[in-house]
């Protein structure tokens, strides 16, 4: 069995509201809905701007990381080349020592050192080739990231400019709607206006909702009572939804 709720004392005035007042309040409600949307859009712009700037910083950071990777690989290659040069110099010293020694033991030791160092040089040269391949890939990646930074920077500037234009337009429109709303509100009887504004503070817009042909409230979508349905369908009285207490029309 459907539980019924008593009509809140402050809502009794709606029962006697004439349709002229209701029509005016519907127009006022449409203004309030537009005002609320504009305020929401304006309030969201700073966060959208911040999020865009963060995305741009992330793109720039990737380019900086790629630049550091290139610099690191270039340093590694220089270090390997320096090590190879030192080892070649060491081979030269060993060969000089080898040609000057008359002792077989020292002669054989020099040969071993030369062979050992030449093998180490081969490994270093292979490592250098791998580093150079990685460097080439890293440079290509850096070039792509730099292009992305440039493209993203241009796109961001365009979006920020659009944000500024939107904010300026919305603020002007909001001022106009607020002025229009004030004029509309001034023409509505104080009791009806006061009740409407009390409801909007507690429920938000809309507080005046349509009822469909099956008797569903346009606010909470629940089925209204037969009595309320007949009043609204009759077109002579206003009534409220006994579930959400919004005004039906």
């Amino acid at each position: 069995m459907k539980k019924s709720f008593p009509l809140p004392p402050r809502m009794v005035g709606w029962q006697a509201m004439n349709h002229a007042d209701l029509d005016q309040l519907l127009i006022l409600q449409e203004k309030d809905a537009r005002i609320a949307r504009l305020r929401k859009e304006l309030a969201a712009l700073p966060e959208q701007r911040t999020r865009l700037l963060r995305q741009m910083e992330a793109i720039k950071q990737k380019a900086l990381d790629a630049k550091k990777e290139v610099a690191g690989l270039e340093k590694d290659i220089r270090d390997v080349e320096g090590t190879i040069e030192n080892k070649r110099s060491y081979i030269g010293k060993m060969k000089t020592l080898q040609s000057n020694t008359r002792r077989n033991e020292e002669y054989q030791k020099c040969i071993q050192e030369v062979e050992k160092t030449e093998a180490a040089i081969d490994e270093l040269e292979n490592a250098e080739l791998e580093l150079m391949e990685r460097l080439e890939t890293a440079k290509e990646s850096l070039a792509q990231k730099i292009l992305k930074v440039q493209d993203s920077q241009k796109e961001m500037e365009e979006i920020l400019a659009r944000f500024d234009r939107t904010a300026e337009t919305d603020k002007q429109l909001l001022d106009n709607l607020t002025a229009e709303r004030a004029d509309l509100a001034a023409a509505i009887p104080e009791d009806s206006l006061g009740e409407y504004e009390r409801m909007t503070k507690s429920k938000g817009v809309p507080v005046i909702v349509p009822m469909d042909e099956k008797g569903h409230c346009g606010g909470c979508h629940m089925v209204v009572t037969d009595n309320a349905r007949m009043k609204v369908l009759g077109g002579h009285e206003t009534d409220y939804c006994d579930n959400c207490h919004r005004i039906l029309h």
Side-chain angles (χ1 to χ4, degrees), residues 2 6 22 83 98 138 150 153 158 168 180 183 213 216:
K2 187 176 180 180
L22 186 61
T83 302
Q98 177 185 348
Q150 294 171 346
Q153 182 71 33
E158 291 173 353
E168 184 178 353
E180 292 173 6
D183 292 339
E213 66 277 4
H216 293 96

Side-chain angles (χ1 to χ4, degrees), residues 19-62:
H19 282 276
D21 290 351
L22 186 61
D23 289 343
Q24 287 295 95
L25 284 172
L26 282 169
I27 297 172
L28 185 69
Q29 180 172 260
E30 189 274 334
K31 296 287 184 187
D32 284 342
R34 293 179 64 190
I35 287 172
R37 284 195 299 270
L38 282 172
R39 285 175 175 167
K40 185 176 180 180
E41 290 174 5
L42 285 168
L45 284 176
E47 177 57 30
Q48 292 175 0
R49 182 185 293 272
T50 299
R51 186 165 58 250
L52 184 65
L53 291 172
R54 285 174 181 167
Q55 291 172 351
M56 188 67 232
E57 285 304 312
I59 292 171
K60 288 181 178 179
Q61 186 60 51
K62 288 181 179 179

Side-chain angles (χ1 to χ4, degrees), residues 137-152:
T137 301
K139 284 183 175 180
E140 290 175 357
S141 178
L142 174 59
Q144 292 173 358
K145 287 179 171 61
I146 289 174
L147 285 175
K148 186 171 178 60
V149 168
Q150 294 171 346
D151 292 341
S152 298

Side-chain angles (χ1 to χ4, degrees), residues 33-161:
R34 293 179 64 190
I35 287 172
R37 284 195 299 270
L38 282 172
R39 285 175 175 167
K40 185 176 180 180
E41 290 174 5
L42 285 168
L45 284 176
E47 177 57 30
Q48 292 175 0
R49 182 185 293 272
T50 299
R51 186 165 58 250
L52 184 65
L53 291 172
R54 285 174 181 167
Q55 291 172 351
M56 188 67 232
E57 285 304 312
I59 292 171
K60 288 181 178 179
Q61 186 60 51
K62 288 181 179 179
L64 286 174
D65 291 343
K67 187 176 181 179
K68 289 178 181 178
E69 183 182 6
V70 168
L73 288 169
E74 288 175 337
K75 181 180 182 301
D76 290 344
I77 290 172
R78 288 195 300 271
D79 290 344
V80 170
E81 289 175 343
T83 302
I84 291 173
E85 185 63 29
N86 289 336
K87 289 188 177 299
R88 283 176 176 160
S89 177
Y90 178 71
I91 287 174
K93 291 178 181 179
M94 287 296 101
K95 286 184 175 181
T96 299
L97 182 61
Q98 177 185 348
S99 63
N100 293 330
T101 186
R102 294 182 179 180
R103 297 174 56 187
N104 184 60
E105 183 180 348
E106 288 184 357
Y107 184 87
Q108 294 299 325
K109 184 177 180 181
C110 288
I111 291 176
Q112 292 173 359
E113 283 297 310
V114 168
E115 291 175 346
K116 178 182 176 181
T117 306
E118 285 177 340
I121 289 174
D122 287 340
E123 291 181 0
L124 286 169
E125 287 178 337
N126 288 333
E128 183 181 12
L129 287 174
E130 291 179 2
L131 286 171
M132 291 177 71
E133 289 175 358
R134 288 174 56 191
L135 177 60
E136 183 178 355
T137 301
K139 284 183 175 180
E140 290 175 357
S141 178
L142 174 59
Q144 292 173 358
K145 287 179 171 61
I146 289 174
L147 285 175
K148 186 171 178 60
V149 168
Q150 294 171 346
D151 292 341
S152 298
Q153 182 71 33
K154 181 179 179 181
E155 182 181 2
M156 184 192 71
E157 290 172 356
E158 291 173 353
I159 293 174
L160 290 177

